[in-house]
Amino acid sequence: MSDSARIVIIGGGVGGASVAYHLTELGERDVLVLDRDELTSGSTFHSAGLVGQLRADPTLTRMNQYSVELYRKLDVWTECGGIKLASSPERMEEIRRQIGWARTYGLPLEEISVAEAAGLFPLMDPAGVVGAAYLPTDGQIDPSQLCYALAGLAREGGATIRTHTRVLGIDVERGRVRRVRTDRGDVDCEIVVNCGGMFAPEIGRMAGVRVPIIPMSHQYVVTEGFHEHTGLPTLRDPDLLVYYRQDVQGLVMGGYERTSAPWLDPVPADFNGRLLPEDWDRFTEISDNAAIRVPALGDVGIRKMINGPEAFTPDNEFCLGETEVGGFYVAAGFCAHGIAGAGGIGMVMAEWIVEGEPSMDLWHMDIRRFGRQYRSPSYTRKRVVENYETYYDIRYPGHERAAGRPLRTSPAYAWHAAHGAVFGEKSGWERVNYYAPNAAEPYRKEEEPRGWAARGWHPAIGAEHRATRTGAGLFDESSFAKIEVSGPDAAGLLEWVCANRVAREPGQVTYTQALNRRGGIECDFTVTRRGEEDFLIVTGTAFGSHDLGWLRKQARLRGSGARIADVTGQYACFALWGPKARDIMATLTADPLDAPFMSARELTVGDVPVLALRVTFVGEFGWELYCSSEYGRALWDTLWAAGEPHGLMACGYKAIDSLRLEKGYRVWGADLGPETTPYEAGLGFCVKMDKEFLGRAALDPSPPRRLRRITLDDPRAVVLGNEPVRVEGRVEGRVTSGGYGYTLGASLAYAYLNAEPGTGVEVELFGERVTGTVG
């Protein structure tokens, strides 16, 4: 075997083959694929082969659409269409919402009647079915044939594939991969792509990288022939937890049982091309449910049961991207829907490797979304099991995961719990959504949204919103991610990374974006200059690991010696906002409170030394107060005691969201992302074109579309996200975020549109069009 290759791909399943093929499409020729056994011998060979395109994540939907376009060019694709049944009114609501999503992507998903569904899939019993949706461009595929087809294309493009080659180790030198050690010799390389599927965690450990994946036993059966139909569509009945596809004159049938079976990590060394023992007892729930919808299955013989381990992540999204080790990439954790996404996975991973970043917003699939808590195998396992066992559940607004909680808590957590806090969880942190006792004021029926939005609503949210606008609100923001950048090159690095000018005088706070080479927003945060060589970045709770990774990558590319450290847990943060905030603070400190907006000062609040930032995310006067965590509880108690005479109200994140919506403050991961520029997002004021920074050359100060606020005519029609927005009857965009504005008494939504203020629009909510006006 050659002793060098520029790119080594570990894993010869459908993911590795797709990455190899797409690398050759981008001109890479020095590509080596290694597999411990034969191609497809991991999970690919036993995948069920259903290909559904529509997903809740817009990027994944587009990736799946690309996959289908690619598969159409191959001789392994069957475009039979796909049906999703609703066996409950709630599921029908979900389907109508998904039909709206589909329209934003140009997918021809349509609602069909129960009779039409039965006509397309005559084996089904329609009893209990409420409705259905049909997507004619969905289909099925033979996973092994797909893998071999992609591998063949990769070979034609110049890639080399070596089977029966076991990786023994990965050498990392000065933070970068340097070689892969195998039982057939060492291979020097610049880049390693971990496409190991269920073996990915073990491969990651060789490079010192944690890949949070758990192999889960997933079962399905292949029946004997029992019908004469041809061209049956795939069929899913999530209320019964089951799926079906045609297999000659029989069916493939499987599902997601409520009692799951996590498998081993590490996977046994000799587990190649093998299956797990049949577990009929655990499959009983699925087989019983399957016979309800397709009664013939109660009498049909079973040709074989497939029980194969599938690699699942804690949130049911792929695990993609570059890790903290330079040149070490991951493309794994396909969660039993990797066949549908394999084409798109290969495309975005090849872009990431060759061009330094993908062309799509992959945050929901980026391995950096998993914080340090996922280094724990126990925590990862709890989250994966919960995810698998609720795979087909309806995800209502405000859905909260339960596994592994509580884990990360603020110093004031016990106070919150004692005062009626209703907690949510983000990135392992327990955060206050609202305090139920705050709903004591008169109930306002006109503020309660209709439909799904009401599930996450509570009258306390409006009370907290109003208290902040008219008096003062106290918020615990300790979960906000905090990153220190220090050293002689800190200012130079941040000036290059940030579009705004951040190397200002010490004590200045700057709101800025960090852009990719296409001008897209990779990060959105504030930068506080604490000293000549000392900067503090504050970013969203869930984005700390992402932003930390982005900063370290840019430092590595520039050869910067700046120190970049995650200090989130070292500091508590409490925000005091509202017209009475100054009055409350004045009772607690002798220090002057005349610091201007977007500045930082060292103060003593009561007995606690704090860094006070004159910033706001709710549009009201006040401060974010940072203190060392050991002072956290004392600072909260001090602020609360001083504020009670002024009517201070403790408030949660639901109120923050409604307050920021009214003021037009953007949120990364929803309103902002790698595919949107600051000028499109209405953040051109943060861009300083008179300096050099990453992404500057790609910016267009006059883009055709911009992020616009829409006020809906019906205040109780509240959006949830991703709803299509029509201008003159045409779908022109989708909702990025929205909610109810309690001060305005209106339902608000944001969307990227080529439309001027005053334009009338329609937003589709669960199949109904709600009119509104662009603001």
Side-chain angles (χ1 to χ4, degrees):
M1 188 168 67
S2 172
D3 60 1
S4 68
R6 178 171 132 72
I7 302 171
V8 174
I9 298 171
I10 303 174
V14 68
S18 183
V19 173
Y21 160 63
H22 284 89
L23 283 169
T24 63
E25 285 288 283
L26 293 182
E28 294 289 338
R29 299 291 178 261
D30 196 6
V31 178
L32 174 63
V33 180
L34 304 176
D35 195 275
R36 57 197 282 156
D37 197 65
E38 297 287 350
L39 297 182
T40 80
S41 63
S43 295
T44 298
F45 82 94
H46 60 69
S47 296
L50 285 76
V51 176
Q53 297 168 83
L54 182 64
R55 302 287 170 174
D57 179 59
T59 300
L60 181 53
T61 298
R62 291 159 57 200
M63 289 167 61
N64 290 352
Q65 288 178 277
Y66 170 82
S67 294
V68 168
E69 291 175 8
L70 175 62
Y71 300 166
R72 286 191 184 114
K73 302 174 186 177
L74 307 176
D75 294 329
V76 293
W77 171 243
T78 301
E79 192 159 308
C80 57
I83 298 172
K84 183 175 183 179
L85 300 178
S87 296
S88 66
E90 294 80 9
R91 186 70 64 178
M92 197 63 228
E93 290 179 329
E94 178 191 54
I95 285 177
R96 288 182 176 135
R97 184 184 182 206
Q98 292 170 341
I99 289 171
W101 296 351
R103 293 194 177 115
T104 68
Y105 315 130
L107 281 172
L109 180 67
E110 297 292 340
E111 182 176 341
I112 60 175
S113 68
V114 177
E116 288 173 315
L120 290 166
F121 199 97
L123 300 173
M124 67 172 273
D125 180 354
V129 178
V130 176
Y134 176 59
L135 184 55
T137 55
D138 276 353
Q140 62 188 62
I141 201 165
D142 183 304
S144 293
Q145 290 183 14
L146 172 62
C147 182
Y148 281 111
L150 292 170
L153 292 172
R155 285 193 179 99
E156 291 176 11
T160 301
I161 298 176
R162 293 283 182 264
T163 56
H164 297 282
T165 305
R166 186 176 294 272
V167 173
L168 304 177
I170 299 171
D171 291 344
V172 177
E173 299 173 2
R174 296 185 178 180
R176 287 197 63 87
V177 293
R178 293 302 179 194
R179 71 187 54 82
V180 175
R181 292 183 281 110
T182 81
D183 58 357
R184 297 176 62 186
D186 295 349
V187 183
D188 292 335
C189 59
E190 299 175 24
I191 292 167
V192 172
V193 189
N194 179 357
C195 296
M198 60 182 155
F199 303 100
E202 181 181 357
I203 296 167
R205 284 191 286 268
M206 295 178 183
V209 171
R210 169 66 175 160
V211 181
I213 286 171
I214 298 293
M216 299 292 289
S217 166
H218 185 70
Q219 300 185 115
Y220 65 86
V221 296
V222 182
T223 75
E224 295 177 346
F226 69 97
H227 64 84
E228 300 299 326
H229 301 289
T230 59
L232 291 176
T234 62
L235 181 72
R236 294 173 177 84
D237 190 336
D239 290 304
L240 291 175
L241 311 177
V242 293
Y243 61 78
Y244 314 80
R245 74 165 174 85
Q246 185 164 3
D247 182 75
V248 194
Q249 304 311 127
L251 289 178
V252 167
M253 180 276 291
Y256 293 86
E257 68 280 4
R258 298 292 189 188
T259 305
S260 64
W263 202 46
L264 303 174
D265 176 20
V267 178
D270 62 347
F271 195 83
N272 304 310
R274 294 169 51 191
L275 296 171
L276 301 174
E278 299 171 350
D279 190 346
W280 286 101
D281 288 341
R282 190 164 53 85
F283 198 66
T284 299
E285 179 183 21
I286 299 302
S287 60
D288 289 348
N289 286 356
I292 293 172
R293 189 58 58 226
V294 180
L297 291 179
D299 301 314
V300 170
I302 302 300
R303 187 154 55 88
K304 58 182 175 180
M305 169 182 264
I306 306 297
N307 185 4
E310 297 273 2
F312 274 77
T313 64
D315 59 5
N316 201 43
E317 297 281 3
F318 301 151
C319 194
L320 308 179
E322 189 173 13
T323 69
E324 63 268 29
V325 174
F328 188 77
Y329 291 79
V330 174
F334 294 169
C335 304
H337 56 270
I339 300 301
I345 289 167
M347 175 187 67
V348 299
M349 287 300 300
E351 291 174 344
W352 214 325
I353 293 164
V354 174
E355 300 171 8
E357 58 200 39
S359 61
M360 296 183 180
D361 178 1
L362 293 179
W363 165 239
H364 292 104
M365 293 167 252
D366 194 323
I367 189 173
R368 291 172 293 179
R369 72 188 184 276
F370 294 116
R372 288 180 295 175
Q373 66 270 26
Y374 287 101
R375 294 179 185 176
S376 162
S378 171
Y379 186 78
T380 302
R381 184 185 179 100
K382 293 171 187 173
R383 289 268 155 158
V384 169
V385 166
E386 181 185 39
N387 173 65
Y388 183 96
E389 294 178 352
T390 59
Y391 189 92
Y392 274 146
D393 283 6
I394 298 172
R395 301 297 183 197
Y396 291 111
H399 170 78
E400 296 287 353
R401 303 283 298 276
R405 296 177 61 182
L407 182 64
R408 306 173 77 181
T409 59
S410 158
Y413 175 75
W415 189 97
H416 302 323
H419 286 76
V422 175
F423 290 99
E425 179 267 335
K426 181 168 282 189
S427 196
W429 280 93
E430 295 295 317
R431 311 195 317 168
V432 178
N433 282 339
Y434 54 85
Y435 296 86
N438 286 342
E441 68 173 45
Y443 174 70
R444 304 188 184 193
K445 179 67 177 178
E446 70 275 10
E447 293 182 347
E448 181 179 358
R450 288 195 298 272
W452 277 22
R455 292 176 177 269
W457 180 85
H458 193 277
I461 301 168
E464 293 171 9
H465 177 118
R466 282 185 287 272
T468 305
R469 284 275 187 259
T470 62
L474 182 61
F475 301 82
D476 188 341
E477 297 181 332
S478 297
S479 68
F480 276 12
K482 310 162 195 81
I483 300 169
E484 287 182 349
V485 183
S486 58
D489 190 38
L493 172 65
L494 290 176
E495 279 296 306
W496 167 248
V497 169
C498 298
N500 207 340
R501 185 167 288 105
V502 297
R504 304 172 187 265
E505 292 297 315
Q508 296 298 301
V509 182
T510 305
Y511 173 50
T512 186
Q513 291 73 48
L515 311 183
N516 56 39
R517 61 180 180 79
R518 301 184 315 279
I521 301 171
E522 285 288 344
C523 311
D524 178 72
F525 46 53
T526 61
V527 180
T528 301
R529 190 169 196 175
R530 298 188 298 191
E532 287 299 319
E533 299 180 358
D534 182 11
F535 295 80
L536 175 67
I537 290 174
V538 179
T539 188
T541 301
F543 311 137
S545 56
H546 171 277
D547 294 0
L548 183 72
W550 181 260
L551 290 167
R552 285 177 171 169
K553 178 178 180 177
Q554 303 314 314
R556 186 168 64 244
L557 292 174
R558 282 176 58 88
S560 171
R563 177 182 177 270
I564 304 171
D566 180 358
V567 295
T568 299
Q570 296 180 27
Y571 298 99
C573 172
F574 306 130
L576 177 65
W577 288 316
K580 296 182 180 179
R582 186 190 297 272
D583 295 336
I584 295 170
M585 280 284 283
T587 68
L588 295 174
T589 182
D591 294 313
L593 298 175
D594 57 353
F597 185 57
M598 300 302 286
S599 66
R601 296 290 185 273
E602 299 282 353
L603 303 175
T604 299
V605 177
D607 296 330
V608 179
V610 304
L611 176 66
L613 271 58
R614 270 279 290 113
V615 297
T616 180
F617 196 53
V618 301
E620 298 296 334
F621 178 89
W623 296 266
E624 286 181 355
L625 304 171
Y626 294 81
C627 68
S628 185
S629 288
E630 71 269 22
Y631 292 107
R633 179 58 191 267
L635 178 59
W636 181 272
D637 289 344
T638 298
L639 291 166
W640 180 250
E644 278 195 292
H646 298 268
L648 178 67
M649 184 174 285
C651 307
Y653 276 85
K654 296 286 188 180
I656 289 179
D657 195 48
S658 66
L659 289 158
R660 71 94 187 168
L661 283 167
E662 289 187 333
K663 295 295 184 178
Y665 297 150
R666 282 75 163 128
V667 172
W668 195 86
D671 308 307
L672 312 176
E675 295 184 60
T676 56
T677 72
Y679 290 106
E680 290 175 319
L683 297 174
F685 66 91
C686 294
V687 179
K688 297 297 182 283
M689 294 294 284
D690 59 349
K691 68 161 193 160
E692 292 297 322
F693 57 88
L694 178 61
R696 178 181 181 275
L699 291 178
D700 176 6
S702 302
R705 65 168 195 160
R706 294 180 185 272
L707 186 66
R708 300 295 192 188
R709 189 174 83 180
I710 300 165
T711 301
L712 300 183
D713 293 334
D714 182 352
R716 296 185 65 198
V718 176
V719 299
L720 304 172
N722 282 338
E723 293 88 353
V725 181
R726 286 180 169 83
V727 179
E728 296 181 349
R730 300 183 307 275
V731 175
E732 295 288 348
R734 65 177 181 85
V735 171
T736 58
S737 69
Y740 187 79
Y742 292 88
T743 304
L744 298 176
S747 175
L748 308 174
Y750 287 82
Y752 284 91
L753 301 171
N754 185 1
E756 295 302 316
T759 302
V761 301
E762 293 177 316
V763 178
E764 184 175 328
L765 274 170
F766 295 93
E768 297 183 5
R769 298 186 186 184
V770 182
T771 56
T773 305
V774 175

